[in-house]
Each structure stands twice: as structure tokens, then as C-alpha cells.
Amino acid sequence: MNTDQLIQELSGSLAPVKRLASPGRRLGQWLAVSVPVLAAITAFFGFRPDLAQCLADNRFVIQNLTALVTGLTAAWAALASSVPGFKSRQLLVPLAPATLWLASAGEGCWAEWQASGWSNLESILHQKCLPEIVGSGLVPALVLMVLLRRGLALNPSLTAGLAALAAAATGSAALSLFHDGDTAWVTLTWHVGSAAGLSALASVFGSRLLTHPASSRPI
Amino acid sequence: MISDRAKHLEDSSRWGAWMQAAQDGDQTAYGRLLAELAPVARRMAARQLAASGVAEDVEDVVQEILLTLHGARHTYDPTRPFLPWFAAIVDHRVKDGLRHRRRHQGRETDIEQVPETFLSQAANTSATDRMDLGKAVAKLPAGQRQAVELLKIKEMSLTEASAVSGQSVPALKVAMHRALKTLKGLLGP
């Protein structure tokens, strides 16, 4: 088949298509499903008893706010990266909140180390939040995957990594509302660390998670 | 220089409008768009392939670009410029083709002369023919092999094969055409 014949075939069999919504609009769709799910999970477990006290603590507020903003910006960047021709600087948007999240968690560890040395370090072994973060972030992750698969991720590793970061960071922020007793070390290793680890894992399997018939080699 | 930029903007705007019409099902606009894009894709692909020092069949790459564009036409946002969207598809398809070629290069051996037994009457029994054909089909790239298996071995219609493989009907036709060309090369004159 030569190229002219192919053009005739493609244009002759053309059917109307539904345009992909903008990344902002798809982010809205993601939130419309994810927020009620996370609210239901929080309602099921109940707010942590010391929530009012935590909300008066600047460090707690900054850590969870930066986690939430990291989640939202990473989700937007993932959706933007599923449209060919996106600007690569758009992908840097989650970098600032993610750095602040990491810095605030690190600062918490520093303060805790100054106050009580390494004594709280063993809390990492007792308080493993990975299953809770995965549980909280599971539905947002699945919804994001469905939305991303409607687009065309030309760099699926990057898109999947951003999507996993979005789900894990959002799950971590929601988790802090109903899960208590986390030390700064736990926040750094299990919250920030889980988000980074899940993001790296998703990047490895990106091409399998986000295969679109048009993105694979047709011939 | 300024006129080049103006021409790019004009082309991008015209192609964007045609793609928008194509998204709504306008076959004439789509035909015009693809006819204008094919030589542009050919130039862009040839430049990238030459820069990589690879003698790939440019026409194959152009066809893959058009098929990818067809499958991804719903992702074009008419409020945004057309050229960056199209250039990203061209770039992806060329680089993907180069990666694919590098992966397979180590497994291929050029044969200058077809073995003598291949031409002798005794070697051409039905059993060995089938065996050679089976081996040749197994050597085909995945997409071409799938087209042969679905369309020729399982005798599916193009529509059925399209449903099973997730490939469009034109993509299957191209794959089948190339599979026959490759098999001809593998099995000799």
C-alpha cells in the first residue's frame, strides 16, 4: 500500500471523534470522583482525635498543604503530558510543591532530632503507612489512569510517574486527617518516601499501564 | 525569515482548521490535511533519520506517522497551534522507529546468496515449504506477524482482525502489505 492509497483509506473511513477535554477540565473530573471517595474513607475511619491540635501546628498544616498541592499539580501535569506537543516546562509545575513537601518533612525530622535525638527513628519500623497511602490513593490512581488512557501519552513512563505521585501525595494528605501518631521520621520515610517509590515504580511500568493503540508502533 | 514564520503560522492555522473539521467527520478536509502533511512528515522524518545516520525507509515512517495521527486525532485541541502537536507525533514515531531498529539490528543477519538447496526440486516439498514459511512468519516484526496470523492463518475479515488486535483497518492493510514484502525477501525469489 503506498502513502496516497493510505491517505484515501484513512480519509474515506473517517468517523467523527469526541475531542479530548483540556487538562484543567479533566482535573476537575478527577477531583469530582476522588474527593467524595477520600471524604468517604475519612468518614469511615473518623477524624483523628487530635486533629484540632494538629491544625494549630504550622508544620502539620504546611506539610499536608504541600502534599495536597503536589498531588493536584502532579495530576494536572500528568494530564497535560497525555496530549502530544505539551510544553516540557509544564512538567516542572509539581516540582516546587514537591520540593517544599520534602523540605518541610526534612525540617520536621531536624526539629525532632534536636529535641530527642535518634530515639524516634525506630517509629519508622512500627508505623508503616504504605498500605494506608496505597489504600487512600488507589481510587484516585485508577480514575487518573482511565482519564490518561483517553489521551496519548508519548512518554508513558513520565506520565505514569506523575500520576502515581499525584495519587500518593493526595492519599498522604487525606491520610493525615484520620491517621494519628506519625512522627516526623514516619512522614519523611513513609509519606514522602512512598510517593517517590510508587512514582518510580509506576515509571518502570508506564508503557504497560498507558498503552494507546496509536502510541504503539502500528506496523 | 519573517515570511517563513508567517508561512508556518498560516500553515499551522489552516491545518488546525482542517483537523477541527476532521474531528467532526469532514472527510474532504481530512483528505486535504493528510495530503499536505505527508510531504512535511517526509521532510521532517528524512532530516531526523539522516541526522541519526540511519537508512530507514522514509515512506514506511511517513505511513506510521499518518496512522498515529489518525489514531490520536481526538487529542488535538483546536484552540492550540497545530504544528507543535504534529511535530511531537513525528518526533515520537521517528525515535520509536529508531529504537525498534536498534533492538532488532543485533538479531538480523544479511544473507548475500540464497542457499542452493532452496532452489533444488527435492528441497521444495510441501512439508519443508510449510516449515520455511512458518519460520519466516516467526521472524516478522510483531505487528506484521499478527496481521498474517489474523488475516491469513485464522482467515479473519479486516473488521474482525481490527477488533481483535485494536489496530485500525488501514493499519492492518499496511501491515499485511509489508508482511508480504518481508516474506518475499526472506523466502527468496
Side-chain angles (χ1 to χ4, degrees):
Chain A
M1 185 185 268
N2 65 37
T3 304
D4 290 339
Q5 286 171 326
L6 178 65
I7 290 173
Q8 276 178 11
E9 280 275 352
L10 293 174
S11 54
S13 61
L14 182 75
V17 284
K18 192 179 174 209
R19 274 182 208 108
L20 187 71
S22 69
R25 203 177 167 84
R26 284 187 290 154
L27 181 68
Q29 292 168 350
W30 181 62
L31 288 173
V33 179
S34 302
V35 171
V37 169
L38 291 173
I41 293 173
T42 308
F44 178 78
F45 287 105
F47 285 124
R48 58 194 288 177
D50 60 344
L51 184 62
Q53 200 183 330
C54 288
L55 290 173
D57 177 8
N58 283 342
R59 187 175 291 132
F60 176 88
V61 173
I62 290 170
Q63 274 177 7
N64 289 294
L65 213 56
T66 49
L68 187 64
V69 177
T70 300
L72 292 175
T73 51
W76 180 83
L79 291 163
S81 73
S82 70
V83 180
F86 65 92
K87 292 185 178 75
S88 49
R89 67 170 179 268
Q90 289 176 328
L91 303 178
L92 299 177
V93 175
L95 200 63
T99 309
L100 282 176
W101 186 27
L102 177 66
S104 63
E107 190 274 335
C109 289
W110 172 252
E112 212 161 276
W113 180 76
Q114 282 188 317
S116 49
W118 299 105
S119 61
N120 277 341
L121 193 60
E122 63 179 24
S123 62
I124 297 169
L125 302 173
H126 305 306
Q127 190 88 322
K128 298 184 182 77
C129 306
L130 183 62
E132 286 91 340
I133 289 177
V134 171
S136 304
L138 189 63
V139 172
L142 291 174
V143 176
L144 201 48
M145 281 297 159
V146 171
L147 291 169
L148 289 170
R149 285 170 69 94
R150 287 185 196 161
L152 176 67
L154 295 180
N155 188 342
S157 296
L158 180 73
T159 304
L162 284 166
L165 176 64
T170 315
S172 163
L175 187 65
S176 64
L177 297 175
F178 60 85
H179 189 264
D180 59 349
D182 289 353
T183 63
W185 298 106
V186 170
T187 304
L188 181 67
T189 49
W190 290 111
H191 287 240
V192 183
S194 298
L198 290 170
S199 183
L201 196 66
S203 290
V204 173
F205 295 102
S207 51
R208 290 183 194 177
L209 293 168
L210 293 170
T211 305
H212 185 286
S215 72
S216 55
R217 206 161 189 261
I219 325 295
Chain B
M1 201 64 169
I2 294 168
S3 64
D4 270 1
R5 187 174 160 71
K7 192 182 177 313
H8 273 131
L9 287 172
E10 194 189 309
D11 287 344
S12 187
S13 159
R14 186 175 65 256
W15 294 335
W18 280 344
M19 180 51 101
Q20 185 176 3
Q23 288 174 327
D24 297 330
D26 186 337
Q27 297 184 349
T28 312
Y30 194 48
R32 279 183 193 156
L33 174 71
L34 296 185
E36 282 201 14
L37 288 181
V40 180
R42 197 172 289 123
R43 271 199 307 275
M44 289 167 82
R47 203 166 43 228
Q48 287 195 40
L49 290 170
S52 311
V54 172
E56 181 97 0
D57 186 343
V58 176
E59 216 47 41
D60 282 359
V61 180
V62 170
Q63 292 189 3
E64 286 166 12
I65 290 167
L66 296 182
L67 286 166
T68 304
L69 178 145
H70 183 72
R73 65 192 188 281
H74 67 292
T75 66
Y76 172 65
D77 179 353
T79 62
R80 303 189 67 81
F82 180 84
L83 266 179
W85 180 84
F86 177 63
I89 290 176
V90 173
D91 188 57
H92 168 75
R93 193 43 70 212
V94 173
K95 283 181 180 155
D96 194 46
L98 289 172
R99 270 196 300 273
H100 186 261
R101 190 185 166 86
R102 277 188 212 111
R103 270 201 304 272
H104 286 80
Q105 227 162 14
R107 296 184 228 154
E108 288 173 1
T109 312
D110 290 332
I111 301 170
E112 283 179 14
Q113 200 175 1
V114 180
E116 220 174 282
T117 53
F118 204 79
L119 300 171
S120 72
Q121 186 63 37
N124 283 303
T125 63
S126 150
T128 48
D129 273 359
R130 210 175 297 127
M131 216 160 64
D132 289 338
L133 186 60
K135 280 181 188 168
V137 169
K139 281 182 191 168
L140 290 173
Q144 294 179 17
R145 192 170 61 244
Q146 190 184 39
V148 171
E149 282 168 358
L150 297 179
L151 296 171
K152 298 294 172 191
I153 299 174
K154 293 185 181 170
E155 295 183 337
M156 286 183 180
S157 68
L158 279 164
T159 320
E160 288 167 341
S162 170
V164 169
S165 64
Q167 297 277 7
S168 65
V169 169
L172 280 168
K173 282 186 183 176
V174 172
M176 193 60 228
H177 175 78
R178 288 194 198 161
L180 291 176
K181 207 165 84 177
T182 315
L183 285 174
K184 209 172 157 188
L186 286 169
L187 295 171

